[in-house]
Amino acid sequence: MNKKELEEQIIHNFQNDEKMMILIFAQWCVNHDLNPEEVYLRAYPNQSTNYALQDAISLTVPKEEAGEIANETLLGVLSLFGNDDLAMVVSEEMKKLHK
């Protein structure tokens, strides 16, 4: 594998991992009766339509069919990708859920 192929493979892997992070976020929201787009927009109000999020939402399943996603798992994945603003909004929602 030459350097260009290696770079392309790294980029491809990152994009797949990012899609998985978005899907984990969207499914966590569905599991807690939250609208993923509304939660996302609270973190990033100036961002236009997020097509990756819309794609992820289309892949979510009803909460009755979904496995549990631990709060710590979601926060860890968001942190790994530098989504600190979204992690903060999610943390606020987690606090509301525990009341």
Side-chain angles (χ1 to χ4, degrees):
M1 184 178 287
N2 66 33
K3 184 178 178 181
K4 182 173 176 26
E5 291 171 331
L6 179 61
E7 289 173 355
E8 288 174 359
Q9 184 64 39
I10 290 170
I11 291 169
H12 178 73
N13 289 345
F14 180 83
Q15 289 171 334
N16 284 340
D17 291 346
E18 186 177 41
K19 287 178 184 177
M20 183 57 67
M21 177 267 304
I22 297 168
L23 179 57
I24 291 168
F25 162 73
Q27 188 64 58
W28 181 89
C29 288
V30 168
N31 290 358
H32 293 90
D33 299 316
L34 299 169
N35 181 319
E37 288 180 301
E38 289 176 8
V39 175
Y40 185 85
L41 282 173
R42 286 186 19 227
Y44 304 108
N46 298 323
Q47 208 173 78
S48 61
T49 304
N50 185 321
Y51 295 107
L53 177 57
Q54 289 179 340
D55 288 343
I57 292 169
S58 73
L59 297 173
T60 61
V61 296
K63 68 180 184 179
E64 298 79 22
E65 298 175 23
E68 182 181 339
I69 298 171
N71 293 347
E72 297 78 21
T73 300
L74 176 59
L75 292 174
V77 170
L78 293 175
S79 176
L80 184 65
F81 282 86
N83 284 313
D84 298 329
D85 293 340
L86 186 55
M88 189 170 314
V89 171
V90 167
S91 292
E92 291 169 5
E93 289 298 330
M94 289 174 180
K95 288 177 187 174
K96 290 179 191 175
L97 292 169
H98 290 290
K99 288 186 176 181

Coordinates of all heavy atoms in Angstrom, one line a residue:
M1 N 0.9 -1.2 0.0 CA 0.0 0.0 0.0 C 0.9 1.2 0.0 O 1.8 1.4 0.9 CB -0.9 0.0 1.3 CG -1.9 1.1 1.3 SD -3.0 1.0 2.8 CE -4.1 -0.3 2.4
N2 N 0.7 2.1 -1.0 CA 1.5 3.3 -1.0 C 0.9 4.4 -0.1 O -0.1 4.2 0.5 CB 1.6 3.8 -2.5 CG 0.3 4.3 -3.1 OD1 -0.5 4.9 -2.4 ND2 0.2 4.1 -4.4
K3 N 1.6 5.5 0.0 CA 1.3 6.5 0.9 C -0.1 7.1 0.7 O -0.9 7.3 1.6 CB 2.3 7.7 0.9 CG 2.0 8.8 1.9 CD 3.1 9.8 1.9 CE 2.8 10.9 2.8 NZ 3.8 12.0 2.8
K4 N -0.5 7.3 -0.6 CA -1.8 7.9 -1.0 C -2.9 6.9 -0.6 O -3.9 7.3 0.0 CB -1.8 8.2 -2.5 CG -3.1 8.8 -2.9 CD -3.0 9.3 -4.3 CE -4.3 9.8 -5.0 NZ -5.3 10.4 -4.2
E5 N -2.7 5.6 -0.9 CA -3.7 4.6 -0.5 C -3.9 4.5 1.0 O -5.0 4.4 1.5 CB -3.3 3.2 -1.1 CG -3.4 3.1 -2.6 CD -2.8 1.8 -3.1 OE1 -1.9 1.3 -2.4 OE2 -3.2 1.4 -4.1
L6 N -2.8 4.6 1.7 CA -2.8 4.6 3.2 C -3.6 5.8 3.7 O -4.5 5.6 4.6 CB -1.4 4.6 3.8 CG -1.3 4.5 5.3 CD1 -2.0 3.3 5.9 CD2 0.1 4.6 5.8
E7 N -3.3 7.0 3.2 CA -4.1 8.2 3.6 C -5.6 8.0 3.3 O -6.4 8.4 4.2 CB -3.5 9.4 2.9 CG -2.1 9.8 3.4 CD -1.5 10.9 2.6 OE1 -2.1 11.3 1.5 OE2 -0.4 11.4 2.9
E8 N -5.9 7.5 2.1 CA -7.3 7.3 1.8 C -8.0 6.3 2.7 O -9.1 6.5 3.1 CB -7.4 6.9 0.3 CG -7.1 8.0 -0.7 CD -7.1 7.5 -2.1 OE1 -7.3 6.3 -2.4 OE2 -6.8 8.3 -3.0
Q9 N -7.3 5.3 3.1 CA -7.8 4.3 4.0 C -8.0 4.9 5.4 O -9.1 4.6 6.0 CB -6.9 3.1 4.1 CG -7.4 2.0 5.0 CD -8.7 1.3 4.4 OE1 -8.8 1.2 3.2 NE2 -9.6 1.0 5.3
I10 N -7.1 5.7 5.9 CA -7.3 6.3 7.2 C -8.5 7.3 7.2 O -9.3 7.3 8.1 CB -6.0 7.1 7.5 CG1 -4.9 6.1 7.9 CG2 -6.2 8.0 8.7 CD1 -3.5 6.7 8.0
I11 N -8.6 8.1 6.1 CA -9.7 9.0 6.0 C -11.1 8.2 5.9 O -12.0 8.5 6.6 CB -9.6 9.9 4.7 CG1 -8.4 10.9 4.9 CG2 -10.9 10.6 4.4 CD1 -8.0 11.6 3.7
H12 N -11.1 7.1 5.2 CA -12.3 6.3 5.1 C -12.7 5.7 6.4 O -13.8 5.7 6.8 CB -12.0 5.2 4.1 CG -13.2 4.2 3.9 ND1 -14.3 4.6 3.3 CD2 -13.3 2.9 4.3 CE1 -15.2 3.5 3.3 NE2 -14.6 2.5 3.9
N13 N -11.7 5.2 7.2 CA -11.9 4.6 8.5 C -12.5 5.7 9.5 O -13.4 5.4 10.2 CB -10.7 4.0 9.1 CG -10.3 2.7 8.4 OD1 -11.1 2.1 7.6 ND2 -9.0 2.3 8.6
F14 N -11.9 6.9 9.4 CA -12.3 8.0 10.3 C -13.8 8.3 9.9 O -14.6 8.5 10.8 CB -11.5 9.2 10.1 CG -11.9 10.4 11.0 CD1 -11.5 10.4 12.3 CD2 -12.7 11.4 10.4 CE1 -11.9 11.5 13.1 CE2 -13.1 12.4 11.2 CZ -12.7 12.5 12.6
Q15 N -14.1 8.4 8.7 CA -15.5 8.8 8.3 C -16.5 7.7 8.7 O -17.6 8.0 9.2 CB -15.6 8.9 6.7 CG -14.9 10.2 6.3 CD -14.7 10.3 4.8 OE1 -14.7 9.3 4.1 NE2 -14.6 11.5 4.3
N16 N -16.1 6.4 8.6 CA -17.0 5.3 9.1 C -17.1 5.4 10.6 O -18.3 5.2 11.1 CB -16.4 4.0 8.7 CG -16.7 3.7 7.2 OD1 -17.5 4.2 6.6 ND2 -15.9 2.7 6.7
D17 N -16.1 5.7 11.3 CA -16.2 5.8 12.8 C -17.0 7.0 13.2 O -17.8 7.0 14.1 CB -14.8 6.0 13.4 CG -13.9 4.7 13.3 OD1 -14.5 3.7 13.0 OD2 -12.7 4.8 13.5
E18 N -16.9 8.1 12.4 CA -17.7 9.3 12.7 C -19.2 9.0 12.5 O -20.1 9.4 13.3 CB -17.3 10.5 11.8 CG -18.0 11.8 12.1 CD -17.4 12.9 11.3 OE1 -17.2 12.7 10.1 OE2 -17.3 14.0 11.8
K19 N -19.5 8.2 11.4 CA -20.9 7.8 11.2 C -21.4 7.0 12.3 O -22.6 7.2 12.7 CB -21.0 7.1 9.9 CG -20.9 7.9 8.6 CD -20.9 7.1 7.4 CE -20.7 7.9 6.1 NZ -20.6 7.1 4.9
M20 N -20.6 6.1 12.9 CA -21.0 5.3 14.0 C -21.3 6.2 15.2 O -22.2 5.9 15.9 CB -19.9 4.2 14.3 CG -20.4 3.3 15.4 SD -21.9 2.4 15.1 CE -21.4 1.4 13.7
M21 N -20.4 7.2 15.4 CA -20.6 8.1 16.6 C -22.0 8.8 16.4 O -22.7 8.9 17.4 CB -19.5 9.1 16.6 CG -19.6 10.2 17.7 SD -20.4 11.7 17.2 CE -19.5 12.2 15.8
I22 N -22.3 9.2 15.2 CA -23.5 10.0 15.0 C -24.7 9.0 15.2 O -25.7 9.4 15.8 CB -23.6 10.6 13.6 CG1 -22.5 11.6 13.5 CG2 -24.9 11.2 13.3 CD1 -22.2 12.1 12.1
L23 N -24.6 7.8 14.8 CA -25.7 6.8 15.0 C -25.9 6.5 16.4 O -27.0 6.4 16.9 CB -25.4 5.5 14.2 CG -26.4 4.4 14.3 CD1 -27.8 4.9 13.9 CD2 -26.0 3.2 13.5
I24 N -24.8 6.4 17.2 CA -24.9 6.1 18.6 C -25.6 7.3 19.3 O -26.5 7.1 20.1 CB -23.5 5.9 19.3 CG1 -22.9 4.6 18.8 CG2 -23.5 6.0 20.8 CD1 -21.4 4.4 19.1
F25 N -25.3 8.5 18.9 CA -26.0 9.7 19.5 C -27.4 9.7 19.1 O -28.3 9.9 20.0 CB -25.3 11.0 18.9 CG -26.2 12.2 19.1 CD1 -26.4 12.8 20.3 CD2 -26.8 12.7 18.0 CE1 -27.2 13.9 20.5 CE2 -27.6 13.9 18.1 CZ -27.8 14.4 19.4
A26 N -27.8 9.4 17.9 CA -29.2 9.5 17.4 C -30.0 8.4 18.1 O -31.1 8.6 18.6 CB -29.2 9.3 15.9
Q27 N -29.4 7.2 18.3 CA -30.1 6.1 18.9 C -30.3 6.3 20.4 O -31.3 6.1 21.0 CB -29.4 4.7 18.7 CG -30.2 3.5 19.2 CD -31.5 3.4 18.4 OE1 -31.5 3.2 17.2 NE2 -32.7 3.4 19.1
W28 N -29.3 6.9 21.0 CA -29.4 7.3 22.5 C -30.6 8.2 22.6 O -31.4 8.1 23.5 CB -28.1 7.9 23.0 CG -28.2 8.2 24.4 CD1 -27.9 7.4 25.5 CD2 -28.6 9.5 25.0 NE1 -28.1 8.1 26.7 CE2 -28.6 9.4 26.4 CE3 -29.1 10.7 24.4 CZ2 -28.9 10.4 27.2 CZ3 -29.4 11.7 25.3 CH2 -29.3 11.6 26.7
C29 N -30.7 9.2 21.7 CA -31.8 10.2 21.8 C -33.1 9.5 21.7 O -34.1 9.7 22.5 CB -31.6 11.3 20.7 SG -30.3 12.5 21.0
V30 N -33.2 8.6 20.7 CA -34.5 7.9 20.5 C -34.8 7.1 21.7 O -36.0 7.0 22.1 CB -34.4 7.0 19.2 CG1 -35.5 6.0 19.1 CG2 -34.3 7.8 17.9
N31 N -33.8 6.4 22.3 CA -34.0 5.6 23.4 C -34.5 6.4 24.6 O -35.1 5.8 25.5 CB -32.7 4.9 23.9 CG -32.3 3.8 22.9 OD1 -33.0 3.5 21.9 ND2 -31.2 3.2 23.1
H32 N -34.3 7.7 24.6 CA -34.7 8.5 25.7 C -35.8 9.5 25.3 O -36.0 10.6 26.0 CB -33.5 9.3 26.3 CG -32.6 8.3 27.0 ND1 -31.5 7.7 26.4 CD2 -32.6 7.9 28.3 CE1 -30.9 6.9 27.2 NE2 -31.5 7.0 28.4
D33 N -36.5 9.2 24.2 CA -37.6 10.0 23.7 C -37.2 11.5 23.5 O -38.0 12.4 23.7 CB -38.8 10.0 24.7 CG -39.3 8.6 24.9 OD1 -39.5 7.9 23.9 OD2 -39.6 8.2 26.1
L34 N -36.0 11.6 22.9 CA -35.5 13.0 22.6 C -35.4 13.0 21.0 O -35.1 12.0 20.4 CB -34.2 13.2 23.2 CG -34.1 13.2 24.7 CD1 -32.7 13.2 25.2 CD2 -34.9 14.4 25.3
N35 N -35.6 14.2 20.5 CA -35.4 14.4 19.1 C -33.9 14.7 18.8 O -33.4 15.8 19.2 CB -36.3 15.6 18.6 CG -36.2 15.8 17.1 OD1 -35.1 15.8 16.5 ND2 -37.3 16.1 16.5
P36 N -33.2 13.8 18.1 CA -31.8 14.1 17.9 C -31.5 15.4 17.2 O -30.5 16.0 17.5 CB -31.4 12.9 17.0 CG -32.4 11.9 17.2 CD -33.7 12.6 17.5
E37 N -32.3 15.8 16.2 CA -32.0 17.0 15.5 C -32.2 18.2 16.5 O -31.4 19.2 16.4 CB -33.0 17.2 14.3 CG -32.6 16.3 13.2 CD -33.5 16.4 12.0 OE1 -34.7 16.2 12.2 OE2 -33.0 16.7 10.9
E38 N -33.2 18.2 17.4 CA -33.4 19.3 18.3 C -32.2 19.4 19.3 O -31.7 20.5 19.6 CB -34.7 19.2 19.0 CG -35.9 19.4 18.2 CD -37.2 19.2 18.9 OE1 -37.2 18.9 20.1 OE2 -38.2 19.2 18.3
V39 N -31.8 18.2 19.8 CA -30.6 18.2 20.7 C -29.4 18.7 20.0 O -28.6 19.6 20.6 CB -30.4 16.8 21.3 CG1 -29.2 16.7 22.2 CG2 -31.6 16.3 22.1
Y40 N -29.2 18.3 18.8 CA -28.0 18.7 18.0 C -28.0 20.2 17.8 O -27.0 20.9 17.9 CB -27.9 17.9 16.7 CG -26.7 18.2 15.9 CD1 -25.5 17.5 16.2 CD2 -26.7 19.2 14.9 CE1 -24.4 17.8 15.4 CE2 -25.6 19.5 14.2 CZ -24.4 18.8 14.5 OH -23.3 19.1 13.7
L41 N -29.2 20.7 17.4 CA -29.2 22.2 17.1 C -29.0 23.0 18.4 O -28.6 24.2 18.3 CB -30.6 22.5 16.5 CG -30.7 22.2 15.0 CD1 -32.1 22.4 14.5 CD2 -29.7 23.0 14.2
R42 N -29.3 22.5 19.6 CA -29.0 23.2 20.8 C -27.5 23.4 21.0 O -27.0 24.4 21.5 CB -29.7 22.6 22.0 CG -31.2 22.8 22.0 CD -31.9 22.3 23.2 NE -31.2 22.0 24.4 CZ -31.3 20.9 25.1 NH1 -32.1 20.0 24.8 NH2 -30.6 20.8 26.2
A43 N -26.8 22.4 20.5 CA -25.3 22.4 20.7 C -24.7 23.3 19.6 O -23.7 24.0 19.8 CB -24.8 21.0 20.6
Y44 N -25.3 23.2 18.4 CA -24.7 23.8 17.2 C -25.8 24.6 16.5 O -26.2 24.3 15.4 CB -24.1 22.8 16.2 CG -23.0 22.0 16.9 CD1 -23.2 20.6 17.2 CD2 -21.8 22.5 17.3 CE1 -22.3 19.8 17.8 CE2 -20.8 21.7 17.9 CZ -21.1 20.4 18.2 OH -20.1 19.6 18.8
P45 N -26.3 25.7 17.1 CA -27.4 26.4 16.5 C -27.2 27.1 15.2 O -28.1 27.4 14.4 CB -27.7 27.5 17.6 CG -26.5 27.6 18.4 CD -25.8 26.3 18.3
N46 N -25.9 27.4 14.9 CA -25.6 28.1 13.6 C -25.3 27.1 12.5 O -25.0 27.6 11.4 CB -24.5 29.1 13.8 CG -24.8 30.1 14.8 OD1 -25.9 30.6 14.9 ND2 -23.8 30.5 15.7
Q47 N -25.4 25.9 12.7 CA -25.0 24.9 11.7 C -26.3 24.6 10.8 O -27.4 24.5 11.3 CB -24.5 23.6 12.3 CG -23.6 22.9 11.4 CD -22.9 21.7 12.1 OE1 -23.6 20.7 12.3 NE2 -21.7 21.9 12.6
S48 N -26.0 24.5 9.5 CA -27.1 24.2 8.6 C -27.5 22.7 8.8 O -27.0 22.0 9.6 CB -26.8 24.5 7.2 OG -25.6 23.7 6.8
T49 N -28.3 22.2 7.9 CA -28.8 20.8 8.0 C -27.6 19.9 8.0 O -26.7 20.0 7.2 CB -29.7 20.5 6.7 OG1 -30.7 21.5 6.7 CG2 -30.2 19.1 6.8
N50 N -27.7 18.9 8.9 CA -26.6 17.9 9.0 C -27.1 16.7 8.4 O -27.9 15.9 9.0 CB -26.3 17.7 10.5 CG -25.1 16.8 10.7 OD1 -25.0 15.8 10.0 ND2 -24.3 17.1 11.7
Y51 N -26.6 16.4 7.2 CA -27.1 15.3 6.4 C -26.6 13.9 7.0 O -27.4 12.9 7.0 CB -26.7 15.4 4.9 CG -27.3 16.5 4.3 CD1 -26.6 17.7 4.0 CD2 -28.7 16.5 4.0 CE1 -27.2 18.8 3.4 CE2 -29.3 17.6 3.4 CZ -28.6 18.7 3.1 OH -29.2 19.8 2.5
A52 N -25.5 13.9 7.6 CA -25.0 12.7 8.3 C -25.9 12.4 9.5 O -26.2 11.2 9.7 CB -23.6 12.9 8.8
L53 N -26.4 13.4 10.2 CA -27.3 13.1 11.3 C -28.7 12.6 10.7 O -29.2 11.7 11.3 CB -27.6 14.4 12.1 CG -28.6 14.3 13.3 CD1 -28.2 13.1 14.2 CD2 -28.7 15.6 14.0
Q54 N -29.1 13.2 9.7 CA -30.4 12.7 9.1 C -30.3 11.3 8.6 O -31.2 10.5 8.8 CB -30.8 13.6 7.9 CG -31.3 15.0 8.3 CD -31.7 15.9 7.2 OE1 -31.3 15.7 6.0 NE2 -32.5 16.9 7.5
D55 N -29.1 10.9 8.0 CA -28.9 9.5 7.6 C -28.9 8.6 8.8 O -29.5 7.5 8.8 CB -27.5 9.4 6.9 CG -27.5 10.0 5.5 OD1 -28.6 10.3 4.9 OD2 -26.5 10.3 4.9
A56 N -28.2 9.0 9.9 CA -28.2 8.2 11.1 C -29.6 8.0 11.7 O -29.9 6.9 12.1 CB -27.2 8.9 12.1
I57 N -30.4 9.1 11.7 CA -31.7 9.0 12.2 C -32.5 8.0 11.5 O -33.3 7.2 12.0 CB -32.4 10.4 12.2 CG1 -31.7 11.3 13.3 CG2 -33.9 10.3 12.5 CD1 -32.1 12.8 13.2
S58 N -32.3 7.9 10.2 CA -33.1 6.9 9.3 C -32.7 5.5 9.7 O -33.4 4.6 9.4 CB -32.8 7.2 7.8 OG -31.5 6.9 7.4
L59 N -31.5 5.3 10.3 CA -31.0 4.0 10.7 C -31.4 3.6 12.1 O -31.2 2.4 12.5 CB -29.5 3.9 10.5 CG -29.0 4.1 9.1 CD1 -27.5 4.2 9.1 CD2 -29.5 3.0 8.1
T60 N -32.0 4.5 12.9 CA -32.3 4.2 14.2 C -33.5 3.2 14.3 O -34.3 3.1 13.3 CB -32.6 5.4 15.1 OG1 -33.8 6.1 14.5 CG2 -31.4 6.4 15.2
V61 N -33.7 2.5 15.4 CA -34.8 1.6 15.5 C -35.6 2.1 16.7 O -35.1 2.9 17.6 CB -34.3 0.2 15.8 CG1 -33.6 -0.4 14.6 CG2 -33.5 0.1 17.0
P62 N -36.9 1.7 16.8 CA -37.7 2.1 18.0 C -36.9 1.7 19.3 O -36.3 0.6 19.3 CB -39.0 1.3 17.8 CG -39.0 1.1 16.4 CD -37.6 0.9 15.9
K63 N -37.1 2.4 20.3 CA -36.4 2.2 21.6 C -36.7 0.8 22.1 O -35.9 0.2 22.8 CB -36.7 3.2 22.6 CG -38.0 3.3 23.2 CD -38.1 4.4 24.2 CE -39.5 4.5 24.9 NZ -39.5 5.5 25.9
E64 N -37.9 0.2 21.8 CA -38.2 -1.1 22.3 C -37.4 -2.2 21.6 O -37.2 -3.3 22.2 CB -39.7 -1.4 22.0 CG -40.7 -0.5 22.7 CD -40.8 0.9 22.0 OE1 -40.6 1.0 20.8 OE2 -41.3 1.8 22.8
E65 N -36.8 -1.9 20.5 CA -36.0 -2.8 19.7 C -34.5 -2.6 19.9 O -33.7 -3.4 19.5 CB -36.3 -2.7 18.2 CG -37.7 -3.1 17.9 CD -38.0 -2.9 16.4 OE1 -37.1 -2.9 15.6 OE2 -39.2 -2.7 16.1
A66 N -34.2 -1.5 20.5 CA -32.8 -1.1 20.6 C -32.1 -1.6 21.9 O -32.8 -1.8 22.9 CB -32.7 0.5 20.6
G67 N -30.9 -1.8 21.8 CA -30.1 -2.1 23.0 C -29.8 -0.8 23.7 O -29.9 0.3 23.2
E68 N -29.5 -1.0 25.0 CA -29.2 0.2 25.8 C -27.8 0.7 25.4 O -26.9 0.0 25.1 CB -29.2 -0.2 27.3 CG -28.9 0.9 28.2 CD -28.8 0.5 29.7 OE1 -29.3 -0.5 30.0 OE2 -28.2 1.3 30.5
I69 N -27.8 2.0 25.5 CA -26.5 2.8 25.2 C -26.2 3.5 26.5 O -27.0 4.4 26.9 CB -26.6 3.7 24.1 CG1 -26.9 3.0 22.8 CG2 -25.3 4.6 23.9 CD1 -27.3 3.9 21.6
A70 N -25.2 3.1 27.2 CA -24.8 3.7 28.5 C -24.4 5.2 28.2 O -23.8 5.5 27.2 CB -23.6 3.0 29.1
N71 N -24.8 6.0 29.2 CA -24.5 7.4 29.1 C -23.0 7.6 29.0 O -22.6 8.5 28.2 CB -25.0 8.1 30.4 CG -26.5 8.2 30.5 OD1 -27.2 7.9 29.5 ND2 -27.0 8.5 31.7
E72 N -22.2 6.9 29.7 CA -20.8 7.0 29.7 C -20.2 6.7 28.3 O -19.3 7.3 27.8 CB -20.1 6.2 30.7 CG -20.5 6.5 32.2 CD -21.8 6.0 32.6 OE1 -22.4 5.1 32.0 OE2 -22.4 6.6 33.5
T73 N -20.8 5.7 27.6 CA -20.4 5.3 26.3 C -20.6 6.5 25.3 O -19.7 6.9 24.6 CB -21.2 4.1 25.8 OG1 -20.9 3.0 26.7 CG2 -20.8 3.7 24.4
L74 N -21.8 7.1 25.4 CA -22.1 8.2 24.5 C -21.2 9.3 24.7 O -20.6 9.9 23.8 CB -23.6 8.6 24.6 CG -24.0 9.9 23.8 CD1 -23.8 9.6 22.3 CD2 -25.4 10.3 24.1
L75 N -21.0 9.7 26.0 CA -20.2 10.9 26.3 C -18.7 10.6 25.9 O -18.0 11.5 25.4 CB -20.2 11.2 27.8 CG -21.6 11.8 28.3 CD1 -21.5 11.9 29.8 CD2 -21.9 13.1 27.6
G76 N -18.3 9.4 26.0 CA -16.9 9.0 25.6 C -16.7 9.1 24.1 O -15.7 9.6 23.6
V77 N -17.7 8.6 23.4 CA -17.6 8.7 21.9 C -17.7 10.1 21.4 O -16.9 10.5 20.5 CB -18.8 7.8 21.3 CG1 -18.9 8.1 19.8 CG2 -18.6 6.4 21.6
L78 N -18.6 10.9 22.0 CA -18.6 12.3 21.6 C -17.3 13.1 21.9 O -16.8 13.9 21.1 CB -19.8 13.0 22.3 CG -21.2 12.6 21.9 CD1 -22.2 13.3 22.8 CD2 -21.5 12.9 20.5
S79 N -16.7 12.8 23.1 CA -15.5 13.4 23.4 C -14.3 12.9 22.5 O -13.5 13.8 22.1 CB -15.1 13.0 24.9 OG -13.9 13.5 25.2
L80 N -14.3 11.7 22.1 CA -13.3 11.2 21.2 C -13.3 11.9 19.9 O -12.2 12.2 19.3 CB -13.6 9.7 20.9 CG -12.6 8.9 20.1 CD1 -11.2 8.8 20.8 CD2 -13.1 7.5 19.8
F81 N -14.5 12.4 19.4 CA -14.5 13.1 18.2 C -14.6 14.6 18.4 O -14.8 15.4 17.5 CB -15.8 12.7 17.4 CG -15.5 11.4 16.7 CD1 -15.7 10.2 17.3 CD2 -15.0 11.4 15.4 CE1 -15.5 9.0 16.7 CE2 -14.8 10.2 14.7 CZ -15.0 9.0 15.4
G82 N -14.3 15.1 19.6 CA -14.2 16.5 19.9 C -15.6 17.3 19.9 O -15.6 18.5 19.7
N83 N -16.7 16.5 20.1 CA -18.0 17.2 20.1 C -18.3 17.6 21.5 O -19.3 17.2 22.1 CB -19.1 16.2 19.6 CG -19.0 16.1 18.1 OD1 -19.0 17.1 17.4 ND2 -19.1 14.9 17.6
D84 N -17.5 18.5 22.1 CA -17.7 18.9 23.4 C -19.0 19.7 23.7 O -19.6 19.5 24.7 CB -16.5 19.8 23.9 CG -15.2 19.0 23.8 OD1 -15.2 17.8 24.0 OD2 -14.1 19.6 23.5
D85 N -19.4 20.5 22.7 CA -20.6 21.3 22.8 C -21.8 20.3 22.9 O -22.7 20.5 23.7 CB -20.8 22.3 21.7 CG -19.8 23.4 21.8 OD1 -19.2 23.6 22.8 OD2 -19.6 24.0 20.7
L86 N -21.8 19.3 22.0 CA -22.9 18.4 22.0 C -22.9 17.5 23.3 O -23.9 17.2 23.9 CB -22.8 17.5 20.8 CG -23.9 16.5 20.6 CD1 -25.3 17.2 20.5 CD2 -23.7 15.7 19.3
A87 N -21.7 17.2 23.8 CA -21.6 16.4 25.0 C -22.1 17.2 26.2 O -22.8 16.6 27.1 CB -20.1 16.0 25.3
M88 N -22.0 18.5 26.2 CA -22.5 19.3 27.2 C -24.0 19.3 27.2 O -24.7 19.2 28.3 CB -22.0 20.8 27.1 CG -22.3 21.6 28.4 SD -21.5 23.2 28.5 CE -19.8 22.8 28.1
V89 N -24.6 19.5 26.0 CA -26.1 19.5 25.9 C -26.6 18.1 26.3 O -27.6 18.0 27.0 CB -26.5 19.8 24.5 CG1 -28.0 19.6 24.3 CG2 -26.1 21.3 24.2
V90 N -25.9 17.0 25.9 CA -26.3 15.7 26.2 C -26.3 15.5 27.7 O -27.2 14.9 28.4 CB -25.5 14.6 25.5 CG1 -25.6 13.2 26.1 CG2 -25.8 14.6 24.0
S91 N -25.2 16.0 28.4 CA -25.1 15.9 29.8 C -26.2 16.6 30.5 O -26.8 16.1 31.5 CB -23.8 16.5 30.3 OG -22.7 15.8 29.8
E92 N -26.7 17.7 30.0 CA -27.8 18.4 30.6 C -29.1 17.5 30.5 O -29.9 17.5 31.4 CB -28.1 19.8 29.8 CG -27.0 20.8 30.1 CD -27.1 22.0 29.2 OE1 -28.1 22.1 28.4 OE2 -26.2 22.9 29.2
E93 N -29.3 16.9 29.3 CA -30.4 16.0 29.1 C -30.3 14.8 30.1 O -31.3 14.4 30.6 CB -30.5 15.5 27.7 CG -30.9 16.6 26.7 CD -32.3 17.1 27.0 OE1 -33.2 16.4 27.5 OE2 -32.5 18.3 26.7
M94 N -29.1 14.3 30.3 CA -29.0 13.2 31.2 C -29.4 13.6 32.6 O -30.0 12.8 33.3 CB -27.5 12.7 31.2 CG -27.1 12.0 29.9 SD -25.3 11.6 29.9 CE -25.2 10.8 28.3
K95 N -29.0 14.8 33.0 CA -29.4 15.3 34.4 C -30.9 15.3 34.5 O -31.5 15.0 35.5 CB -28.8 16.6 34.7 CG -27.3 16.5 34.9 CD -26.7 17.9 35.1 CE -25.2 17.8 35.2 NZ -24.6 19.2 35.2
K96 N -31.6 15.8 33.4 CA -33.0 15.9 33.4 C -33.7 14.5 33.6 O -34.7 14.4 34.2 CB -33.5 16.6 32.2 CG -33.3 18.0 32.0 CD -33.8 18.6 30.7 CE -33.3 19.9 30.4 NZ -33.8 20.4 29.0
L97 N -33.1 13.6 32.9 CA -33.6 12.2 32.9 C -33.5 11.5 34.3 O -34.3 10.7 34.6 CB -32.9 11.3 31.9 CG -33.1 11.7 30.4 CD1 -32.2 10.9 29.5 CD2 -34.6 11.4 30.0
H98 N -32.6 12.0 35.1 CA -32.4 11.4 36.4 C -33.2 12.0 37.5 O -33.1 11.6 38.6 CB -30.9 11.4 36.8 CG -30.1 10.4 36.0 ND1 -30.2 9.0 36.1 CD2 -29.2 10.6 35.0 CE1 -29.4 8.4 35.2 NE2 -28.8 9.3 34.6
K99 N -33.9 13.1 37.2 CA -34.8 13.8 38.1 C -36.1 13.1 38.3 O -36.6 12.5 37.5 CB -34.9 15.2 37.8 CG -33.6 16.0 38.0 CD -33.9 17.5 37.7 CE -32.6 18.2 38.0 NZ -32.7 19.6 37.9

